[in-house]
Amino acid sequence: VSRGLLESRRVPGSRESRFDPHEVSRLAERRRAGGRAGALELVVDSDLTLLEPAGGLWFRGWNVESACGRVSFEEIAEWLWDSREGFPFEADPSALAVARAAVAALPSDTRPVERFRVALAAASVTDPLRFDRRPRAVAATGRRILATLVDSVAPDGDHSGHRGSRSTETNSVAERLFSLLAPDPAQHTAARHRAFEAAMVVLADHEMASSTLAARVTASTWADPYLVVLAGLSALGGPLHGGASDRLVPLLRDAQAVGAAQAIGERLRVGEQVGGFGHPVYTGRDPRADALWPLLAKGWDGDPAFRAAGDVIDVVRSQDDTFPNIDLALATLVTCADMVPGAGEAVFAVARCAGFVAHAMEEYRHRLRFRVRAAYTGPAPGTI
């Protein structure tokens, strides 16, 4: 309790204390892992996101499943930032020009998230207001960051930020990103746009995930929001985090071609694990996936790719009582919409930037409070 690993709640009228059983279980599991440096867990006070291991997710008390499909990504970002400004998400023209020039110098097969990181680094040096850490100023910077990401990156030399004739002033962030990642005009129906934006809503934050911790540690040094987001995007770039959904896309395409059992069996034969199921926090369901599946069904009802995803779920669950997670749902979205390579990580990255900015706003209240100690295991002093 004194180290903040467990929260004690006094029983009114008694000297007894009570503890959250989920916190106790997580602490016990960490102890069972063994070793001083076995499993590392930091506890950070936050007003932003509540995860319920049984399968619940709330942003500032707002149930994310109820918001899914009903609100825009901009609304959920402003909610996380505790802002009600209503300003548009627009990039500064000079910053956008610099970002586009930097992206244009990249090889043509550069993946979207790699383009995002380059664009953001280039745009940051043009923003003299990026050092203002007051909450309203950080929210304004967050809007510019999100707009810069989606409007500076486009394949095949098309830097319009979207396809078609509508301007970015009338297009939402989700519409602009979906147009970028799904070039087939047939994909752009109202139901499919709703499913895509819902994916961004549920991915906007997820408590203290690895990339969020990286962003938060960066913010603790009072680095500007661009550097905070870049730190988060860097940690997100590993195949075990933001890119997990893209690794499932070939499985879904193979399942569509040869059947789910055959596709899964081929991976098991060579010793590969079938991802997209279970979760280290949730014990029985992933509320993000559960919220997204009905919208995917409405958008791609009868689509062979959507049926293949359902077959994969049936085959896996016939062998193991587990549940599909957000990675499989996002991979299904990418496959159904025939998006460009790396699209799953791109959706994850842009959506999670809203959370990175929100965590930066919280962390700017403190200064340099992260100092993790190492358990030294090298040679003893004087032995070499």
Side-chain angles (χ1 to χ4, degrees), residues 29 36 51 72 163 165 176 221-222 228 258 273 295 304 314 319:
E29 184 62 33
R36 288 185 297 162
L51 305 184
S72 69
R163 299 181 187 275
S165 60
R176 284 137 69 183
T221 70
W222 286 7
V228 170
V258 301
Q273 295 294 319
L295 296 174
D314 291 341
Q319 301 292 107

Side-chain angles (χ1 to χ4, degrees), residues 20 92 103 119 148 161 185 291 294 311 376 382:
D20 185 333
D92 178 81
V103 170
T148 299
D311 292 342
Y376 179 72

Side-chain angles (χ1 to χ4, degrees), residues 54-352:
L57 177 63
W58 292 264
F59 294 159
R60 291 190 183 276
W62 191 353
N63 185 284
V64 175
E65 288 185 85
S66 69
C68 187
R70 294 177 46 240
V71 302
S72 69
F73 173 68
E74 285 88 344
E75 287 178 282
I76 215 69
E78 297 282 3
W79 181 262
L80 284 167
W81 301 340
D82 197 22
S83 169
R84 309 294 184 271
E85 301 288 358
F87 292 127
F89 283 55
E90 295 176 0
D92 178 81
S94 60
L96 197 55
V98 170
R100 286 173 173 170
V103 170
L106 298 174
S108 60
D109 61 348
T110 303
R111 294 168 76 87
V113 170
E114 295 169 328
R115 294 171 183 262
F116 291 158
R117 289 195 287 263
V118 170
L120 195 59
S124 67
V125 299
T126 71
D127 189 347
L129 303 179
R130 67 187 184 276
F131 304 106
D132 193 338
R133 293 185 299 275
R134 293 175 298 172
R136 289 183 64 182
V138 175
T141 303
R143 297 183 195 99
R144 294 195 295 275
I145 286 173
L146 283 163
T148 299
L149 289 180
V150 298
D151 293 341
S152 63
V153 177
D156 303 324
D158 174 13
H159 297 295
S160 63
H162 60 289
R163 299 181 187 275
S165 60
R166 292 177 295 176
S167 68
T168 58
E169 287 78 6
T170 57
N171 282 10
S172 69
V173 170
E175 286 177 316
R176 284 137 69 183
L177 183 61
F178 190 32
S179 295
L180 170 69
L181 299 177
D184 183 1
Q187 295 293 340
H188 296 274
T189 67
R192 293 175 179 183
H193 275 274
R194 190 174 301 111
F196 183 88
E197 186 151 37
M200 295 187 68
V201 166
V202 300
L203 287 167
D205 193 45
H206 205 237
E207 202 215 47
M208 210 61 62
S210 301
S211 56
T212 303
L213 178 60
R216 191 132 188 169
V217 171
T218 305
S220 76
T221 70
W222 286 7
D224 69 70
Y226 289 87
L227 293 176
V228 170
V229 171
L230 280 169
L233 291 178
S234 297
L236 184 144
L240 301 181
H241 190 16
S245 63
D246 286 325
R247 292 190 292 118
L248 294 170
V249 171
L251 169 65
L252 296 180
R253 288 179 174 155
D254 287 349
Q256 187 177 344
V258 301
Q262 183 69 23
I264 292 171
E266 282 299 309
R267 282 155 177 79
L268 296 176
R269 183 178 63 82
V270 296
E272 291 184 12
Q273 295 294 319
V274 178
F277 291 86
H279 195 274
V281 173
Y282 300 120
T283 57
R285 59 186 291 268
D286 186 335
R288 301 166 298 173
D290 284 1
L292 194 53
W293 282 118
L295 296 174
L296 294 175
K298 289 180 180 179
W300 287 273
D301 183 31
D303 187 276
F306 184 74
R307 289 200 304 269
D311 292 342
V312 167
I313 294 173
D314 291 341
V315 170
V316 171
R317 298 206 66 177
S318 70
Q319 301 292 107
D320 183 18
D321 185 21
T322 186
F323 56 93
N325 61 30
I326 187 60
D327 295 326
L328 184 63
L330 184 55
T332 302
L333 171 64
V334 169
T335 308
C336 288
D338 195 23
M339 295 188 198
V340 300
E345 185 180 14
V347 176
F348 195 117
V350 175
R352 191 56 56 88

